Structure formats: structure tokens, C-alpha cells
């Protein structure tokens, strides 16, 4: 039963203390409602003081507002302090350029932070469970994550001046649904969880059932893998940190330098982690688009026989090799021209601080704006290329007759001169201009999605 598993897990990991004040994130769905109900029950034994936080992201209009009212009513009936807010995440997406899921998470955790400060709370309790863990680990491995990121969701981690803890990682989704049934809970259900347009949903609907058929305890094995990998990673990082003093030649957030020879003399497993530590230091918090691929690129740069070479990384980081030194700098404001093959499916980071995310989809389950581009896969002359503007570039504009110079598009859209040199132009293998991200689309864009056809869907997103 869920109660025994979670109680044992709480003790093993020392997650909650007697009389502790807790902020519980509750969406109204089965996971978070079961978590709140469980904490209410154990709270009678351990004296937990609970505050509930709910965020309506306003993606589903009146339906998501009803989720907020549902959680508010539950808290009122059980004399629990409720803190709810409505945030128009779509407005933030347009402002930040983040994906819908990343933007929603950013704003949700910002609200959690505010509520912890308001109520003087040190622990944020969330309802992620064992199936979430499987999905997260597989998604990150598929994306090419490195280091501790491969371990998925941590049982507990620092958050602001406190911690996030996740007691339900010990159980699977079915345990939670059974718990809701036994206790007469009627959670709200989010229909977007069934949409195949979200990568997490595809793992949940297609991959998890297969794993559960292979081994009904798969979630337990993934959780053990997560915890062991995280422990191993912490030890290797400590070993790497002990050797970093001799590697730094100059250490500054804006401009740093290292001794290549000293780094390359370390064991291979420590070399990777040394590079990760350097990037962690420079970025503070790594962009989502930074993966194991970037670590590999830096190692290849070090092993390149040419004495001088450079790489352009997310958020304008220039990685430049010069003989026995490697410089890392955010001070470069004018990257050179580029010509990058788009990863389809995948993500391609551009030197201007943006990336192009490409995926194969069915139908029209996607955003439609100048920051997106949709075309039938069979009609795409691949590889697709993102490059800087070239003299004479023209594009046949969607909805208009004839072509227009890309230079004139920049002028009409009032793009500053300093940005035009790094603005991407997407072309196909024949050199035909398909799209100037965020500005204009060509007549090659599909008019409407057809559920019987496969499309290539491109998104231009700020890193």
C-alpha cells in the first residue's frame, strides 16, 4: 500500500521532521491531491503545518480556473491555508521565447518561492512519483544529458533557502490511483496529459507500458539507479574539484582560461566532469540546450592538432583554443557567420542566443506564429540549414505574389543593424529560403495540418 511505502521512504531519506511547516504544490490532479491527503493524515501524528500553493497557468481557460476553485474548496473544507494565483503563461512565452512547459515551470516555481518567503517555510513538497522518474531519466538520456542530469528527479534538492522534497518517488501512478479510490478522492484530470504533442506524454503513453510489461517493478529499479548514480556523481565531482586548482589559469564569470594539458592528463571520466564544472561556473545555471554533445565538442577542440580553433555555445559563450590555453568568454558581441545543419528531430543552438527545435509531428497540434514553421516531411529537401544572410538572398513570401529581399525584410521589420549579421535564415538543401524566424515565412509553409500526414515542425526559441 502507498501509505507503508511512503512512510518507509520518508524515514529512509529523512525528508520531513516533526512539527515542520510545509508548502505543498497541488494542481488538483491525482498525484498532488493524494500527496496532500496523505500529509494531512500523517500530519495528525507528526504535527505538520501545511500551506497549499496552486498555479493556474491559464492554458485551458475556464477548465483550468475550475481546477483552482476545486483546490481552494478542498482546502477550505479541511481548514488548510490556500495560496492560489492565475498567470498568463502565453504572454510570458512571447516575452521570453521559452517553450510552454519551461515557461510554466519557471513561473510556477517563482510563485512557490514567493509563498515560502511569505509564510516562512523551508520545505516545498511535490507529488512527482516513480513513473515520472522513469519518464524523466529516459527523456534526458534520449536528449543527451550528462552528469547528474541523467539521474532524473532528485529525492531532495536545495531550493532558495530551503529544500524541495518528493516523498512519492517511492510509488508508481497506479498506487496513487488506488489510494484515491480507497479514500474517496475525486481529483481533477488534465486532458493535455493525453496529447501526443508533448514529448513526456509520448514516453508515458508508449514507452512506460512496455517497461511495466517487462517488469512490474521497473519504477523501483529506476529509482535505485537514480539514487546510486547521483551518489557516484557526487563522489566523482569531489575528486574532480580537488584537481581544479591546477587547471584554472584565469577564473572570472565573464572571461576565464584553463590549462589544456593539465586537464587532458586527468582520467577521462574526470575530464568530462571538469568541463562540466567549468560550464556550471560560467553559466551559473546551465541552459536546457547544453548537453553531453557540448562536452564532447570541447574535448574534440582540445585534441584538434590545429593550435587555434573556436566554438560558439548558448547565450553567446565563445570557447577559443589558443595553443596550450582555452579561453571561455561572454565578452564577444559579434559572432562570425555560421552555416549549421538542423538536427531533425533535435535542437540546434545558434550563435545569437536562440535555438531551433525540430520535430516530426502529425497534423496541426502546434503553435502557429512567425516563430514556428510547418512543412510536409515528404516535401522537405533535407538537410535543412540555418545560416547567416548572404548577399542576394530572396524569399517568396507566404500569402503574397513574388519574392522579396531578406535585406528589405530586416529593414521593414526594423531589425537593428547589429542583429542582422547573426539573424538566422533557414534554407533547404537547394538553397531556397524557407523562413526568417520570428519575421516572415515563405510560401513553402503548410496551410493547415492534416492528421494523416507527417510534418516537420520548427520552433525558434530563446536559449
Amino acid at each position: 500500500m502507498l501509505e507503508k511505502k511512503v512512510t518507509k521512504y520518508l524515514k529512509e531519506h529523512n525528508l520531513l521532521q516533526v512539527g515542520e511547516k510545509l508548502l505543498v504544490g497541488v494542481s488538483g490532479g491525482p498525484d498532488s491531491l493524494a500527496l496532500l491527503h496523505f500529509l494531512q493524515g500523517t500530519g495528525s501524528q507528526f504535527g505538520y503545518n501545511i500551506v497549499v500553493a496552486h498555479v493556474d497557468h491559464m492554458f485551458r481557460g475556464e477548465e483550468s480556473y475550475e481546477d483552482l476553485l476545486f483546490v481552494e474548496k478542498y482546502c477550505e473544507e479541511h481548514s488548510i491555508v490556500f495560496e492560489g494565483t492565475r498567470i498568463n503563461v502565453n504572454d510570458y512565452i512571447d516575452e521570453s521565447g521559452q517553450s510552454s512547459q519551461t515557461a510554466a515551470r519557471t513561473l510556477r516555481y517563482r510563485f512557490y518561492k514567493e509563498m515560502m518567503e511569505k509564510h516562512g517555510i523551508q520545505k516545498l513538497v511535490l507529488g512527482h512519483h516513480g513513473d515520472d522518474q522513469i519518464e524523466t531519466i529516459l527523456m534526458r538520456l534520449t536528449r543527451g544529458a550528462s552528469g547528474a542530469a541523467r539521474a532524473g528527479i532528485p529525492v531532495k534538492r536545495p531550493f532558495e533557502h530551503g529544500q524541495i522534497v518528493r516523498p512519492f518517488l517511492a510509488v508508481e501512478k497506479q498506487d496513487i490511483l488506488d489510494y484515491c479510490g480507497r479514500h474517496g478522492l475525486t481529483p481533477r484530470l488534465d486532458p493535455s496529459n493525453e496529447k501526443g504533442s508533448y514529448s513526456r506524454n509520448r514516453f508515458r503513453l508508449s514507452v512506460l507500458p512496455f517497461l511495466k510489461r517487462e517488469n512490474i517493478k521497473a519504477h523501483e529499479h529506476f529509482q535505485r539507479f537514480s539514487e546510486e548514480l547521483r551518489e557516484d556523481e557526487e563522489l566523482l565531482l569531489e575528486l574532480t574539484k580537488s584537481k581544479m586548482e591546477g587547471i584554472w589559469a584565469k577564473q572570472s564569470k565573464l572571461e576565464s582560461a584553463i590549462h589544456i594539458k593539465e586537464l587532458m592528463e586527468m582520467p577521462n571520466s574526470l575530464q568530462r566532469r571538469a568541463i562540466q564544472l567549468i560550464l556550471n561556473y560560467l553559466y551559473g545555471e546551465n541552459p536546457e540546450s547544453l548537453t553531453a554533445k557540448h562536452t564532447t565538442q570541447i574535448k574534440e577542440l582540445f585534441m584538434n592538432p590545429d593550435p587555434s580553433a573556436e566554438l560558439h555555445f548558448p547565450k553567446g559563450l565563445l570557447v577559443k583554443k589558443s595553443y596550450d590555453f582555452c579561453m571561455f568568454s561572454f565578452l564577444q558581441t559579434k559572432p562570425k557567420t555560421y552555416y549549421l545543419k538542423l538536427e531533425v528531430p533535435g535542437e540546434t543552438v545558434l550563435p545569437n542566443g536562440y535555438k531551433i527545435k525540430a520535430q516530426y509531428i502529425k497534423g496541426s497540434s502546434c503553435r502557429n506564429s512567425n516563430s514556428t514553421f510547418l512543412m510536409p516531411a515528404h516535401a522537405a529537401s533535407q538537410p535543412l540549414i540555418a545560416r547567416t544572410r548572404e548577399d542576394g538572398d530572396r524569399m517568396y513570401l507566404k500569402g503574397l505574389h513574388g519574392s522579396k529581399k531578406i535585406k528589405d525584410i530586416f529593414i521593414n521589420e526594423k531589425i537593428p543593424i547589429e542583429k542582422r549579421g547573426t539573424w538566422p535564415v533557414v534554407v533547404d538543401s537547394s538553397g531556397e529560403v524557407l523562413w526568417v524566424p520570428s519575421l516572415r515565412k515563405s510560401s513553402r509553409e503548410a496551410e493547415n495540418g492534416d492528421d494523416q500526414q507527417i510534418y516537420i515542425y520548427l520552433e525558434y526559441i530563446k536559449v
Side-chain angles (χ1 to χ4, degrees):
M1 288 176 61
L2 179 145
E3 292 90 332
K4 290 183 178 179
K5 292 178 183 178
V6 177
T7 300
K8 180 183 176 184
Y9 199 67
L10 286 169
K11 292 178 181 177
E12 287 176 349
H13 294 276
N14 193 30
L15 296 184
L16 301 177
Q17 308 303 319
V18 173
E20 197 160 23
K21 197 170 186 180
L22 309 175
L23 182 71
V24 185
V26 180
S27 67
D31 311 338
S32 59
L33 188 63
L35 174 65
L36 175 59
H37 186 273
F38 171 82
L39 291 173
Q40 285 176 263
T42 55
S44 62
Q45 305 172 46
F46 299 106
Y48 300 140
N49 188 349
I50 297 173
V51 176
V52 164
H54 175 94
V55 179
D56 173 9
H57 302 106
M58 301 177 69
F59 284 140
R60 295 180 288 118
E62 188 64 26
E63 186 176 41
S64 64
Y65 180 55
E66 289 174 1
D67 292 347
L68 183 150
L69 296 177
F70 169 82
V71 177
E72 184 177 32
K73 182 180 178 183
Y74 181 95
C75 291
E76 183 179 340
E77 291 173 349
H78 294 84
S79 301
I80 300 171
V81 177
F82 172 79
E83 293 282 4
T85 187
R86 305 189 76 200
I87 304 175
N88 193 323
V89 179
N90 280 320
D91 286 349
Y92 182 74
I93 290 171
D94 293 337
E95 173 190 328
S96 66
Q98 294 179 349
S99 68
S100 59
Q101 290 180 312
T102 301
R105 185 184 186 281
T106 298
L107 295 175
R108 184 167 64 252
Y109 278 75
R110 184 181 296 174
F111 180 69
Y112 290 157
K113 174 181 176 291
E114 292 170 357
M115 292 305 101
M116 290 174 77
E117 291 176 348
K118 176 180 177 180
H119 293 277
I121 296 175
Q122 300 297 312
K123 291 272 179 72
L124 169 61
V125 191
L126 300 177
H128 298 100
H129 51 77
D131 289 2
D132 292 329
Q133 183 71 286
I134 296 176
E135 295 161 13
T136 301
I137 290 173
L138 293 177
M139 286 171 63
R140 290 184 181 178
L141 289 174
T142 302
R143 191 182 70 204
S146 61
R150 296 169 297 177
I153 306 170
V155 177
K156 54 185 175 183
R157 72 169 178 87
F159 180 65
E160 297 307 319
H161 301 297
Q163 275 188 329
I164 294 176
V165 299
R166 299 178 170 94
F168 274 13
L169 287 177
V171 297
E172 61 181 330
K173 183 73 171 188
Q174 191 58 50
D175 292 324
I176 294 171
L177 296 177
D178 291 345
Y179 180 92
C180 288
R182 284 189 286 109
H183 291 278
L185 301 177
T186 55
R188 301 279 296 175
L189 298 177
D190 182 351
S192 68
N193 288 334
E194 302 301 317
K195 290 184 178 179
S197 55
Y198 295 116
S199 61
R200 180 175 289 277
N201 290 354
R202 292 194 293 273
F203 277 90
R204 177 180 301 141
L205 300 174
S206 301
V207 182
L208 251 66
F210 166 76
L211 292 176
K212 294 295 183 70
R213 288 194 299 270
E214 290 294 309
N215 191 328
I216 193 63
K217 293 188 175 182
H219 67 285
E220 295 180 10
H221 301 320
F222 268 79
Q223 184 56 32
R224 184 175 67 251
F225 166 79
S226 170
E227 294 177 23
E228 290 176 354
L229 179 58
R230 199 170 294 279
E231 290 171 0
D232 293 346
E233 187 65 29
E234 288 174 2
L235 174 60
L236 288 168
L237 278 176
E238 286 303 314
L239 288 173
T240 307
K241 288 176 182 177
S242 68
K243 297 178 180 294
M244 287 300 294
E245 187 175 341
I247 291 172
W248 290 109
K250 176 184 178 182
Q251 192 172 357
S252 163
K253 290 283 188 180
L254 291 179
E255 193 168 52
S256 292
I258 64 164
H259 298 282
I260 295 175
K261 182 173 179 290
E262 281 76 358
L263 186 146
M264 297 302 287
E265 287 175 347
M266 297 168 65
N268 191 50
S269 61
L270 300 191
Q271 289 178 25
R272 295 195 305 271
R273 287 165 178 83
I275 293 171
Q276 290 162 17
L277 284 173
I278 292 166
L279 294 175
N280 288 345
Y281 169 76
L282 292 165
Y283 280 109
E285 182 176 344
N286 285 354
E288 283 188 355
S289 55
L290 209 62
T291 67
K293 174 183 69 176
H294 296 92
T295 301
T296 301
Q297 288 176 344
I298 290 179
K299 286 196 65 177
E300 290 173 349
L301 180 74
F302 293 166
M303 293 186 288
N304 190 322
D306 292 337
S308 300
E310 63 184 45
L311 298 167
H312 293 278
F313 274 18
K315 295 191 176 180
L317 177 64
L318 176 67
V319 183
K320 188 173 183 179
K321 172 188 174 183
S322 180
Y323 296 96
D324 294 331
F325 292 90
C326 182
M327 276 69 73
F328 299 82
S329 175
F330 286 108
L331 301 178
Q332 306 295 323
T333 58
K334 189 178 180 182
K336 295 180 180 178
T337 58
Y338 55 89
Y339 187 94
L340 301 172
K341 173 184 167 184
L342 296 186
E343 297 288 337
V344 183
E347 296 183 350
T348 305
V349 177
L350 308 176
N352 68 337
Y354 283 75
K355 65 182 177 182
I356 293 179
K357 180 179 179 181
Q359 54 187 311
Y360 289 106
I361 68 168
K362 280 187 177 181
S364 56
S365 55
C366 54
R367 294 178 67 216
N368 181 16
S369 71
N370 281 332
S371 293
T372 66
F373 190 84
L374 183 73
M375 68 184 305
H378 70 83
S381 179
Q382 297 199 54
L384 302 180
I385 305 295
R387 61 165 172 80
T388 42
R389 178 175 63 92
E390 297 177 356
D391 290 340
D393 272 347
R394 305 183 72 92
M395 182 170 70
Y396 287 89
L397 299 181
K398 183 177 181 180
L400 297 176
H401 296 293
S403 63
K404 192 167 189 175
K405 287 183 179 180
I406 304 301
K407 177 182 177 181
D408 291 338
I409 291 176
F410 285 146
I411 293 172
N412 292 342
E413 297 292 335
K414 298 181 179 179
I415 302 301
I417 292 175
E418 65 269 19
K419 290 187 177 183
R420 297 177 194 173
T422 57
W423 205 283
V425 174
V426 176
V427 302
D428 65 12
S429 61
S430 70
E432 180 180 355
V433 178
L434 303 176
W435 177 41
V436 183
S438 283
L439 302 183
R440 300 298 294 271
K441 304 179 181 184
S442 77
S443 55
R444 292 282 299 281
E445 154 129 306
E447 288 294 335
N448 291 297
D450 179 353
D451 288 332
Q452 303 305 313
Q453 189 169 186
I454 302 296
Y455 293 81
I456 293 177
Y457 175 59
L458 305 177
E459 288 183 278
Y460 184 59
I461 304 168
K462 192 167 186 177
V463 175

